[in-house]
Amino acid sequence: MRSFTCAVALSAVAGQALGSVHHMFSGVFNGTDIYAIEFDDETNSLTLASSIVSTATSSKWIAIDERKQNIYVSNGAYTSLEYSSTVTMDSTCNNANYVLASTESPYVVFGASYSTVCPAQMMSVESDGSLTAVIANVTHGSSAGVHGLALTSDNEFLYSADDTGNAIWVHSVNITSGEVAEVQYLAAPTGADPRHMVVHPKGQYAYVVFEALSEIGVYSRDTATGELTYTNTSYPLLPSTYTNASSYWADEVQFSVNTNGTPSYMYAATRSQTTTIPGYASAFSIDAETGAIVNQLFLTETTGSGGSANSVPSAPFVEEYFAITDSGSNFVEVWMITTNGTESATGKAVAHLDVSAGPPNAVWFD
Ligand SMILES: *[C@@H]1O[C@H](CO)[C@@H](O)[C@H](O)[C@H]1NC(C)=O
Ligand SMILES: *[C@@H]1O[C@H](CO)[C@@H](O)[C@H](O)[C@H]1NC(C)=O
Ligand SMILES: *[C@@H]1O[C@H](CO)[C@@H](O)[C@H](O)[C@H]1NC(C)=O
Ligand SMILES: *[C@@H]1O[C@H](CO)[C@@H](O)[C@H](O)[C@H]1NC(C)=O
Ligand SMILES: *[C@@H]1O[C@H](CO)[C@@H](O)[C@H](O)[C@H]1NC(C)=O
Ligand SMILES: *[C@@H]1O[C@H](CO)[C@@H](O)[C@H](O)[C@H]1NC(C)=O
């Protein structure tokens, strides 16, 4: 069994947002905690503000809603959280894995279990954001195992990164009526294994993490039909001299955040499969109008392997900041892009916080 949980916990910290102190949350792969973490951008320090202990047997990937009122948690098992509502799937699907909130009313939530054949689900929410029920299945092929989801900025198309079936699926979705229709199945390059993906807010490009190749694949997008075309272009998440991509597995991609919906950067990371060998983080410069990649700014060793996840949550306060989680050595870091005169940009960790269990990802509150 699997479930997706809404942890209504954010009012507890909302009043604490002061000046240069920012807040984020992370779940854990193993354990019941949701960590509330503070980042001070003047002192570049990370602090564990509190740990919201749930009654769940695990908290995993988390998402925050547009209104910053709710955190949605994908639980690996049939459980419930304190301060929560839970929607449990009446099926044999395991490994509730990825959860994503739509960005406009009625604020439905999408969840996927990383389990072959299991559909992704559209879930309705109450006016306060708590989960109500599964209102639609988003179905994929018989060999599909969907690891990541992405929504367009208009909430009209849902993209599924099918890791097991090596493909991308496109569905049109109506978040008001709950209607879902398959638009496209697109096989990925041989041996790519799409894991997570993003669609640029302007809609002309989608970027896909090729987990097994440790690359970012570039897809052009038809803004009317939602269909994707692979451009045959990809960017490496490993140094070009490396021939051991099978010793790594690429994890995550995210755009930076700005209020215009025209991100300047895109962040991505790959994990090393050996805990004592670091993974890599990368940033790309993004064309504000088209969403095309202008250039790859840096490809830098992370301070840990990443473990099962080195996700790259973009900061909402300054576009040059992002966080990195590491479940191999159990920490959260804040990184930033730095430049030095005319030297090219690089990325570096500016703050580090050890935590007691491995975080799959983090979401920024402010
Ligand atoms: C999960 O945490 C428990 C308690 O700390 C520990 O005994 C167990 O080995 C951990 N499991 C994994 C998979 O890390
Ligand atoms: C989703 O699929 C499951 C399994 O096939 C089915 O039991 C359930 O009724 C479906 N839910 C909706 C809302 O269509
Ligand atoms: C979505 O559903 C609503 C309610 O049924 C309907 O009014 C609207 O036209 C639909 N949107 C699209 C794009 O079909
Ligand atoms: C990508 O390469 C394939 C095989 O050579 C070719 O058929 C296809 O047209 C190319 N796609 C683009 C967008 O150039
Ligand atoms: C991959 O190969 C490079 C270059 O030989 C080496 O430095 C690195 O440690 C290897 N990575 C892993 C995870 O084995
Ligand atoms: C900037 O670059 C110069 C010249 O390479 C170097 O001497 C200096 O230490 C660098 N400063 C920082 C803050 O990295």
Side-chain angles (χ1 to χ4, degrees):
M1 299 283 270
R2 63 205 170 116
S3 61
F4 295 98
T5 293
C6 168
V8 187
L10 300 186
S11 56
V13 297
Q16 294 173 19
L18 295 170
S20 60
V21 176
H22 310 281
H23 299 83
M24 69 175 131
F25 295 87
S26 86
V28 291
F29 274 111
N30 177 27
T32 57
D33 292 317
I34 304 285
Y35 299 131
I37 295 167
E38 290 181 359
F39 173 65
D40 185 323
D41 69 14
E42 284 180 358
T43 58
N44 278 339
S45 55
L46 277 167
T47 319
L48 185 62
S50 64
S51 192
I52 302 159
V53 180
S54 75
T55 56
T57 56
S58 77
S59 71
K60 290 179 68 185
W61 188 272
I62 63 174
I64 194 164
D65 63 357
E66 182 74 6
R67 296 172 292 179
K68 303 289 169 77
Q69 290 170 358
N70 299 280
I71 287 178
Y72 299 105
V73 184
S74 59
N75 296 322
Y78 173 48
T79 54
S80 65
L81 263 180
E82 207 179 351
Y83 313 119
S84 75
S85 61
T86 297
V87 166
T88 303
M89 307 311 142
D90 183 20
S91 75
T92 55
C93 293
N94 288 312
N95 199 12
N97 184 71
Y98 195 93
V99 63
L100 175 72
S102 62
T103 55
E104 60 191 315
S105 178
Y107 298 107
V108 300
V109 171
F110 293 90
S113 68
Y114 184 43
S115 191
T116 310
V117 192
C118 292
Q121 260 101 20
M122 188 195 294
M123 289 166 274
S124 56
V125 301
E126 300 286 357
S127 57
D128 67 0
S130 57
L131 295 170
T132 317
V134 174
I135 53 171
N137 290 317
V138 182
T139 55
H140 309 93
S142 59
S143 62
V146 170
H147 202 287
L149 302 171
L151 265 176
T152 49
S153 56
D154 60 10
N155 293 290
E156 288 183 1
F157 291 90
L158 181 75
Y159 293 79
S160 301
D162 175 1
D163 202 314
T164 313
N166 197 38
I168 308 295
W169 297 81
V170 185
H171 290 81
S172 62
V173 296
N174 184 325
I175 63 173
T176 307
S177 67
E179 285 166 288
V180 173
E182 186 182 316
V183 169
Q184 186 186 23
Y185 159 87
L186 182 59
T190 305
D193 295 355
R195 177 182 170 91
H196 290 167
M197 60 184 292
V198 286
V199 181
H200 186 267
K202 300 270 189 192
Q204 294 181 50
Y205 286 94
Y207 297 101
V208 178
V209 174
F210 291 158
E211 179 175 24
L213 301 175
S214 277
E215 291 176 355
I216 296 294
V218 181
Y219 287 74
S220 60
R221 178 175 176 274
D222 183 318
T223 53
T225 66
E227 290 188 21
L228 299 182
T229 303
Y230 184 47
T231 62
N232 293 338
T233 301
S234 66
Y235 288 82
L237 295 178
L238 289 173
S240 58
T241 53
Y242 284 22
T243 54
N244 53 353
S246 63
S247 299
Y248 294 84
W249 40 359
D251 190 47
E252 248 280 82
V253 63
Q254 274 202 12
F255 288 111
S256 63
V257 180
N258 71 23
T259 51
N260 312 321
T262 53
S264 304
Y265 307 108
M266 185 172 75
Y267 299 111
T270 192
R271 305 155 290 172
S272 152
Q273 294 189 26
T274 304
T275 311
T276 52
I277 297 176
Y280 281 86
S282 187
F284 301 84
S285 167
I286 299 294
D287 184 273
E289 288 315 308
T290 65
I293 289 177
V294 178
N295 64 333
Q296 189 165 13
L297 292 172
F298 66 80
L299 179 62
T300 306
E301 280 186 357
T302 49
T303 61
S305 65
S308 297
N310 53 7
S311 67
V312 284
S314 306
F317 46 92
V318 178
E319 279 193 272
E320 283 76 14
Y321 282 89
F322 60 104
I324 291 187
T325 61
D326 189 303
S327 70
S329 305
N330 298 352
F331 63 76
V332 175
E333 285 178 342
V334 172
W335 280 51
M336 69 178 296
I337 301 178
T338 60
T339 52
N340 179 356
T342 56
E343 282 178 33
S344 49
T346 187
K348 67 169 187 179
V350 297
H352 179 103
L353 176 70
D354 289 317
V355 289
S356 50
N361 78 325
V363 294
W364 289 93
F365 175 71
D366 59 17

